[in-house]
Each structure stands twice: as C-alpha cells, then as structure tokens.
Amino acid sequence: MTGPGGAGPLTVALVCPYSLSRPGGVQGQVVGLARSLGARGHRAVVFAPVDDPADVPDGCEVVVTGRSVALPANGSLAPVALSPVAARRGLEALRWLGPDVVHLHEPFAPGLTYAVLAAGRRPPVVGTFHRSGGSALYAVLGPLARRLARRLDLRVAVSEAAASTARGALGGTYDVLFNGVETDRYGVEPWPTAGPTVLFLGRHEERKGLAVLLEAWDRVVGSGAAPAATLWVAGDGPETAALRERHPGGPGRHWLGVLGEVEKDRRLVAADVLAAPALGGESFGLVLLEGMAAGTVVVASDIDGYRDAAGGCAVLVPPGDPSALAESLVGVLDGTVAADRERWLARAAERAAGWSMAALAGRYEERYRSLVGSGPA
C-alpha cells in the first residue's frame, strides 16, 4: 500500500482517555480521525476504554484499555479508566504495535494517555488538547504536568480557547487546528417525523443548557405558535430524572435516551432545527457543524466556542434566556427566521465542509510525517 504523495503508509496509535461506550466530543474526534486516516492509506489504531464490546465503533481498529468510571470534570462526568493494570496492559499493547507516531488526546486525563507520558522511551508523541476553562487536574499535577508536557514532540489545540487553557497551565506553544466533521455520514435516510421537529443532542447537565431549552419549549407549546412541532431530547446525564419529572414526555416532547451512531445521524438529518443551548465551557462548537453538515438549521447560544464555529451560519441567542430561545425556535419553524431556508442551509453546508474530518486528517498527516525519523523528544 502506498500513502498519498507516494510516501509510505504510517501506523498511528490514537489514544483516547474516555470510554467509547459514552457519546462525547473527544471520542467522536478520535474515531472519526481514525476512519479518515484509514481512508488515506494509513493504519490507525484507537486505544480507549470500552464498557461493552457491542459499543466498539465500526470502521476502525480498536484496542480496549479497560472499563471506565465517571469522574467530575469541567462541569461534566468524564468516563475514564483508572486501573493501573489496564494502563500497563495498554502500554504493552502499544509497544507490540510499534507505531510510527503516538497521538494522545487530552494527554493529562487519567489513564493510558498520562501513562504514555510517564513511561520511558517511545515513538514521537503528539498531544491534542480539547479542554477549555479551568482544570483541577492541572492544579493537582502542578510542576509535574509541565515537566511531562515537555515530553510531547508536538502540542496541538482544537481551538484558541483550548490553546489558552493549556498554555496557562503548562506553558509551551500550540499548533491550533480544529475539530473535524465526518461530512460523509449524513447521506442517510431521515428518521420518520410527524411534523416540524427540534433536536437536542448532549449530556443532561447544567452547562449544556437542557433545562433552558425545556423551559423554552414549554413557552413554544403554550404560545400555540407551533402546534404540530415535536422536541426530541437525546442523551442522558445527572439531570435527566429531575428534568423528566418537570417536563414529562408526551405528544410534543420525546425523551430518546442515548442514541447509537446511526440513529443519531438519521435523526439529525430529519430534524428541522438543532438546538444547542449550552451556557458556556465549550471550546469548539462541533455539534453546530454537525447540524450544518446534516442540513439542519442550528439555533445555539451566543458563546465563544459556538460563535466561532457558527461563522454566521447559525441563529445565535443569549445563553440562559428561555424567552429568547423560544422566540428563535418559533421563528425558524414558522419561516420568519432563516426565511430563505435552502440558501441558508447551502451556506451552512459549505461552512461545515471547510471543517471536514478528511481535511483535518490531512493536516495531521503532515505533522506526523514531520516527526517520523526525528525520534522521541
């Protein structure tokens, strides 16, 4: 097999600290990058925790590095593997693979990512930083984190916000790239709908703003402005039970639970609106770009990470304002907002295409090749 440009194929180990059994932005990036690197002729092997063998994603090679436990992190719960035995086995599997490059995502998350940095001699290591905002882990590790960070041969951040967070904690310089969208995933049959539909995708936790959306939806329904519309609420989290008690399911509101990858894509393609009401703490608005790529009008909070991703192709509302959110949802559904829907969606799709996972894989390939042959740091 010959890689692009006549160069030989690479073997890349993509190390993800978070369980592939739980939907998440980092997990999606790792799996999507593995698929796109494979399409470019490389062997990309994902090392990650998995809690159920049935959750191993299609289209990529996976080495399971244990089962996960949930740890509080950045206003969420991170499903990480804490077993030292699992980390040791993961290191042994890495050595057996003999990759040309090891690519760590969130290098200082507990588990195999951190173990790779703490280990001895290894291939060149790339570290991609996804987190924005403060991190108790950086504070706990202190000078040790800065010392181990020097073992990274290349530091990458998914956004300026993520780079700023990492720089403040670890120092150093960061190559700012982006999160990629698997734009080719959305040529699927839409999920059946009975009328105009709004979709929420995300963890049911305070910072994702689901409580704000549910209050807004009560106003939409109460106004009678969109009588046939339905809200689909996907995902789960620590607020699920309380929110379902206050806003039970019914004809205009369906609680879907955690969706598989195929169902998620089909529902995203079918929805008229993707609602992303996060309150903050988002380093990059990947979910907005997924909605754009799927041909869905995006209504999102006007926060830094989302504003940057939207690029003028999403309807932005003040965060935490259910009245403004309800008004925008009604406006999109009745056609008074984003009135020229086809033109709006075409512009949004063009925006999403500029952030494709295929393009991101090409950018990473360039960086991998620049490191191969230089040896470890």
Side-chain angles (χ1 to χ4, degrees):
M1 187 184 301
T2 301
L10 299 170
T11 298
V12 181
L14 298 167
V15 184
C16 176
Y18 305 131
S19 174
L20 301 185
S21 295
R22 301 296 305 175
V26 176
Q27 297 94 310
Q29 288 300 292
V30 172
V31 170
L33 182 56
R35 290 170 176 155
S36 291
L37 288 170
R40 295 179 66 87
H42 305 294
R43 183 185 183 191
V45 182
V46 175
F47 288 71
V50 175
D51 302 310
D52 183 336
D55 298 328
V56 173
D58 295 331
C60 65
E61 186 177 351
V62 176
V63 173
V64 177
T65 60
R67 296 173 60 86
S68 71
V69 296
L71 288 184
N74 198 29
S76 183
L77 292 174
V80 296
L82 298 180
S83 166
V85 173
R88 185 173 67 250
R89 289 175 178 168
L91 285 174
E92 291 172 354
L94 268 173
R95 294 188 181 108
W96 180 85
L97 177 66
D100 298 295
V101 178
V102 177
H103 188 168
L104 308 179
H105 290 258
E106 291 294 18
F108 289 95
L112 183 57
T113 48
Y114 185 82
V116 169
L117 287 180
R121 186 172 179 83
R122 66 210 182 284
V125 179
V126 176
T128 292
F129 293 81
H130 297 256
R131 180 192 306 274
S132 69
S135 171
L137 186 61
Y138 288 144
V140 169
L141 294 174
L144 175 61
R146 286 180 173 254
R147 187 163 66 250
L148 290 178
R150 290 196 288 269
R151 297 185 177 182
L152 292 168
D153 297 272
L154 176 66
R155 306 183 197 193
V156 175
V158 300
S159 66
E160 290 290 352
S164 178
T165 295
R167 192 181 301 114
L170 304 170
T173 59
Y174 297 81
D175 190 356
V176 179
L177 293 180
F178 55 92
N179 279 318
V181 181
E182 291 183 89
T183 54
D184 58 350
R185 280 174 37 188
Y186 300 110
V188 295
E189 181 182 356
W191 196 269
T193 61
T197 305
V198 176
L199 172 65
F200 171 88
L201 293 170
R203 286 276 294 167
H204 300 175
E205 57 199 17
E206 184 179 3
R207 75 183 181 96
K208 293 296 186 181
L210 176 57
V212 177
L213 172 60
L214 290 168
E215 185 178 341
W217 192 251
D218 285 345
R219 298 184 185 206
V220 171
V221 173
S223 72
T230 298
L231 173 64
W232 285 340
V233 181
D236 66 4
E239 293 191 338
T240 303
L243 291 174
R244 288 195 68 163
E245 184 175 354
R246 293 203 301 270
H247 306 274
R253 181 169 43 239
H254 297 166
W255 292 84
L256 307 178
V258 177
L259 303 181
E261 190 174 59
V262 174
E263 182 176 348
K264 172 195 165 185
D265 293 344
R266 291 183 62 197
R267 287 188 183 270
L268 190 53
V269 169
D272 297 279
V273 180
L274 172 69
L279 304 180
E282 303 292 331
S283 67
F284 187 88
L286 180 66
V287 68
L288 276 65
L289 294 168
E290 290 177 334
M292 295 176 193
T296 303
V297 176
V298 175
V299 177
S301 298
D302 189 4
I303 57 178
D304 288 344
Y306 284 178
R307 191 182 311 113
D308 294 343
C313 297
V315 179
L316 299 180
V317 300
D321 187 337
S323 178
L325 180 56
E327 183 179 348
S328 292
L329 291 174
V330 170
V332 173
L333 293 174
D334 70 12
T336 58
V337 175
D340 189 346
R341 185 181 180 89
E342 293 308 312
R343 184 175 178 184
W344 178 281
L345 292 177
R347 190 161 61 93
E350 183 178 358
R351 170 76 176 171
W355 304 83
S356 73
M357 187 63 77
L360 181 62
R363 301 281 288 275
Y364 272 121
E365 183 189 335
E366 293 171 358
R367 286 150 179 80
Y368 297 155
R369 292 200 183 282
S370 72
L371 297 174
V372 171
S374 62

